[in-house]
Amino acid sequence: QVVPQEDVQRGPRRLIVKRSGRQHIIGIAFKAPPGLHEDAPALAVLSVALSGGKTGRLYRRIVDAGLATRVYAWESSFRDPGLFQIYCFLTPQADSPTVERILWEEIEQIKKEGIELAELERAKSQVNAYLKFSRDGTFGIADGLNESLAMGDWTAFCRNRIEPVRLEDVQRAAQRYFREDASTTGWFVPLRSEDDDVQEDPAFIDHEDAAAAPAGRIVEDAESSMDAQRREATRVAPTALPLTTQKRRSTTAGAEASGSPAPAVPRSRIA
């Protein structure tokens, strides 16, 4: 079987999307290997170290500083090469250049110094706990086997590929894949009809009175659309990224106070 291969990316790519919305978003994507590649488990650990709840590096650096309402980092694990993606949903007082600079500072620090042993052990615990809970029942087992089969090897379901990951594996994976010349950075810039005479897209209209919204309220419009696309792309599987819904909710600033729904859990397929 002949499978077309993407040409080597020889420089960073950037794009800006402007449309109706209410929250700035920054996304950075790096090329990632197939799910069965030896570096895939290290990237799964790295995604948790970056955004695994309130202890994640990006949460402490960006969300705690009031620059973003939530952060995501996850890797796709398919039969073919995929992407490692990082998304930040900015607060009104934050500006995109500042948040992007912080993202790159954290990425470069991991490439230079790696992560700490405590971060590695915490990430492994989250992964292993999620995998155990996701396999509780015949449906979870069958679904996990099916995902591993689609990834290229059903026996991956039976192996713990996370436990052998070492500190040097995580740093090596960061150095190999987190390269600026192989990155694509996107900004979502919201346009408001009252300022720019833009026709509102019904999918993005917030029918509540914005002035009456409680402080810290998180606007889900753009995020809901992105979550739907991500679920379609990844076919969310129980063998995926080891961040539980509870952990994801912990990365939502003010969600409980505002009554906003928790986001869909972006997950990979490392079994």
Side-chain angles (χ1 to χ4, degrees):
Q1 181 182 6
V2 178
V3 179
Q5 299 293 318
E6 182 179 0
D7 291 338
V8 176
Q9 183 176 338
R10 302 187 184 281
R13 299 169 181 167
R14 300 188 65 88
L15 69 148
I16 298 177
V17 176
K18 296 182 179 181
R19 62 168 296 174
S20 57
R22 301 184 184 279
Q23 191 170 23
H24 288 260
I25 304 171
I26 296 178
I28 302 177
F30 301 94
K31 300 294 191 299
L36 294 178
H37 193 277
E38 62 179 2
D39 290 332
L43 289 174
V45 170
L46 187 52
S47 68
V48 180
L50 286 171
S51 67
K54 294 183 177 181
T55 59
R57 289 192 174 209
L58 297 181
Y59 188 101
R60 287 181 285 140
R61 185 78 187 276
I62 299 176
V63 178
D64 280 350
L67 299 176
T69 59
R70 62 186 70 186
V71 293
Y72 295 141
W74 76 96
E75 84 296 342
S76 57
S77 292
F78 304 123
R79 186 185 185 94
D80 300 312
L83 295 172
F84 188 105
Q85 303 175 69
I86 302 173
Y87 279 94
C88 290
F89 295 84
L90 277 56
T91 55
Q93 65 269 25
D95 63 277
S96 297
T98 298
V99 175
E100 183 180 342
R101 175 180 55 79
I102 294 174
L103 286 173
W104 279 107
E105 287 176 355
E106 290 297 320
I107 290 170
E108 292 301 324
Q109 183 177 3
I110 290 177
K111 290 169 61 176
K112 182 179 179 180
E113 303 176 4
I115 63 174
E116 298 178 357
L117 180 60
E119 293 177 287
L120 176 65
E121 296 302 326
R122 184 165 53 244
K124 285 184 178 182
S125 296
Q126 287 182 265
V127 173
N128 291 326
Y130 183 84
L131 291 178
K132 287 181 172 61
F133 280 113
S134 69
R135 298 174 183 183
D136 182 19
T138 55
F139 176 80
I141 294 174
D143 201 9
L145 282 168
N146 183 62
E147 291 298 327
S148 295
L149 181 62
M151 192 167 60
D153 182 9
W154 69 269
T155 64
F157 176 82
C158 307
R159 303 194 303 270
N160 188 328
R161 303 174 61 207
I162 298 296
E163 199 59 41
V165 174
R166 302 168 299 174
L167 290 172
E168 52 266 35
D169 297 328
V170 176
Q171 185 176 9
R172 185 187 66 250
Q175 293 171 345
R176 179 176 295 178
Y177 299 103
F178 289 0
R179 297 184 299 108
E180 185 176 5
D181 283 345
S183 69
T184 300
T185 302
W187 290 6
F188 175 80
V189 178
L191 300 178
R192 298 176 180 270
S193 59
E194 61 270 23
D195 298 329
D196 301 276
D197 193 25
V198 175
Q199 180 67 35
E200 287 283 3
D201 186 332
F204 283 79
I205 293 178
D206 183 3
H207 295 286
E208 298 179 7
D209 183 359
R217 180 179 182 276
I218 296 175
V219 180
E220 302 287 345
D221 300 334
E223 296 164 85
S224 297
S225 176
M226 185 173 295
D227 285 338
Q229 295 179 42
R230 183 168 57 250
R231 288 195 299 271
E232 177 64 21
T234 59
R235 303 289 185 182
V236 177
T239 57
L241 190 96
L243 299 185
T244 63
T245 302
Q246 181 180 3
K247 287 293 183 183
R248 279 302 182 193
R249 285 172 180 164
S250 70
T251 64
T252 304
E256 294 183 359
S258 64
S260 299
V265 182
R267 300 180 290 185
S268 65
R269 300 180 181 178
I270 297 297

